[in-house]
Amino acid sequence: MADVLLNIIAPIVLLAALGALMRVKFAIDLATLSKLNIYLFIPAFVFYAVATSQLAGPQMLGVVVICTLQVLTLWAIMELIGRWLRVRRDVLSVVTLSVVFYNCGNYGLPLAMLAFPGQDAAAVQAFVILAINLLIFTLGMVIASSARQGSLGPSVVAALRLPIIPALVAALAARWWTGGDAALLPTVIREPARYLAAGLVPIALITLGAQLASNPRWPRWKPVSLVLVLRLIAAPIHTAILLWVLHRTGWTPVQVTPDVARMLILTTATPAAVNVLLLTLELGGDTDLAAQCVFWSTVLSCFTIAGWLMVIQAY
């Protein structure tokens, strides 16, 4: 337990705390940090991680398929829970977003790389980030807009134009050309991509800390507690069950190794995505509740992640 807290959780918390301190002391601009992540560091990371990955094609596809199925089934479960409990639509949309979409980027990426060093964790997480980002800016917009009526067409088109997609296409082309050997990439492409990819983890965690420092809230315990239980505890169990079912049925498009399965379970134990708050602000809804879900799930995840790491490492 002490090793998990010291070697995996502590570096994440420290960098996030530094980001929060920078936000409080210097009022660093969140919009600029977000743009650096979305338009520069994440595309460069996706390109470098995928272009140099040794993952087989079926495993890449398997990660995307599993993430998509996990999100869609969780969404269906949340709709059933909402109808059963008769939750107001504006509250249900925020709770659903917070449970379904997790912080796979600026929290999940460093977590995976620290927990699974040398096991191609970066490449696995690159495809998780790709799948979740596409889903949150498409399906997530549908869920967020359910709090009120709105036009989704322009937003979906804008999401599909994010640089992560051309970065992935370029990475797959480079991987086909080089066979995953980074040395065969031209230096003028390889080195800038490597430098930017290496910078994603600290910049992402500093951004996370700065964002959390901007929206601390004392929670409305009833909906927030539901999010905490479902997001931090039930979601990884749901993913483990989904992986077991897919393994038992032998569905051909889904081919993942036991190590990749462990990574996928761990990354779904991360807290609610910061984009939940951004979507709620953009499309309307209970923004205070969204901020509370993101903040408190991130704070309490330090303890639940430690527990999940111990369980996963035991199997």
Side-chain angles (χ1 to χ4, degrees):
M1 179 68 169
D3 288 343
V4 169
L5 291 173
L6 182 63
N7 297 326
I8 298 176
I9 302 299
I12 294 173
V13 173
L14 177 59
L15 280 172
L18 289 174
L21 178 63
M22 293 290 289
R23 172 65 177 171
V24 171
K25 188 171 180 61
F26 300 112
I28 55 177
D29 184 51
L30 286 175
T32 299
L33 284 174
S34 296
K35 284 182 172 59
L36 282 172
N37 277 281
I38 293 172
Y39 291 96
L40 184 60
F41 285 99
I42 289 179
F45 165 79
V46 168
F47 174 81
Y48 189 78
V50 174
T52 61
S53 168
Q54 298 302 314
L55 282 179
Q59 287 196 29
M60 294 180 183
L61 177 61
V63 170
V64 174
V65 170
I66 289 167
C67 289
T68 303
L69 289 175
Q70 192 254 357
V71 165
L72 291 175
T73 51
L74 266 183
W75 176 37
I77 291 169
M78 291 307 301
E79 285 294 318
L80 292 174
I81 291 175
R83 293 183 182 183
W84 177 46
L85 297 178
R86 298 181 180 178
V87 181
R88 287 201 330 263
R89 177 51 61 177
D90 59 332
V91 174
L92 180 60
S93 67
V94 172
V95 171
T96 300
L97 286 169
S98 301
V99 172
V100 169
F101 296 107
Y102 46 95
N103 197 336
C104 57
N106 50 11
Y107 192 119
L109 172 61
L111 174 64
M113 295 177 71
L114 287 168
F116 300 97
Q119 297 184 38
D120 223 356
V124 172
Q125 203 64 21
F127 282 94
V128 173
I129 292 170
L130 171 71
I132 297 302
N133 273 276
L134 288 178
L135 287 165
I136 198 169
F137 287 112
T138 49
L139 175 62
M141 288 179 172
V142 174
I143 298 171
S145 67
S146 65
R148 66 175 180 85
Q149 296 299 318
S151 175
L152 297 178
S155 298
V156 172
V157 171
L160 294 176
R161 290 176 178 172
L162 289 174
I164 191 173
I165 297 178
L168 175 65
V169 173
L172 291 173
R175 188 176 184 277
W176 170 79
W177 181 38
T178 65
D181 186 353
L184 297 180
L185 286 172
T187 303
V188 69
I189 295 175
R190 181 185 67 245
E191 292 307 299
R194 183 171 67 87
Y195 293 147
L196 287 170
L200 174 61
V201 169
I203 291 295
L205 286 174
I206 287 170
T207 302
L208 173 63
Q211 288 170 323
L212 292 176
S214 303
N215 295 287
R217 297 286 192 278
W218 190 251
R220 287 150 52 186
W221 281 116
K222 191 173 182 179
V224 172
S225 297
L226 180 62
V227 169
L228 294 177
V229 171
L230 295 178
R231 171 73 267 149
L232 301 178
I233 299 174
I237 296 174
H238 166 262
T239 301
I241 293 172
L242 179 64
L243 286 165
W244 180 82
V245 170
L246 292 173
H247 173 70
R248 294 291 293 178
T249 57
W251 191 31
T252 304
V254 179
Q255 298 182 24
V256 296
T257 65
D259 284 338
V260 172
R262 293 186 187 98
M263 294 179 204
L264 291 174
I265 293 171
L266 181 62
T267 196
T268 56
T270 54
V274 176
N275 283 332
V276 169
L277 175 58
L278 301 181
L279 280 180
T280 308
L281 287 168
E282 181 68 22
L283 297 175
D286 194 334
T287 54
D288 283 343
L289 178 59
Q292 293 167 20
C293 292
V294 172
F295 179 82
W296 288 102
S297 65
T298 302
V299 170
L300 294 179
S301 69
C302 295
F303 304 98
T304 56
I305 286 290
W308 279 112
L309 279 166
M310 294 174 65
V311 171
I312 289 171
Q313 290 175 353
Y315 288 93

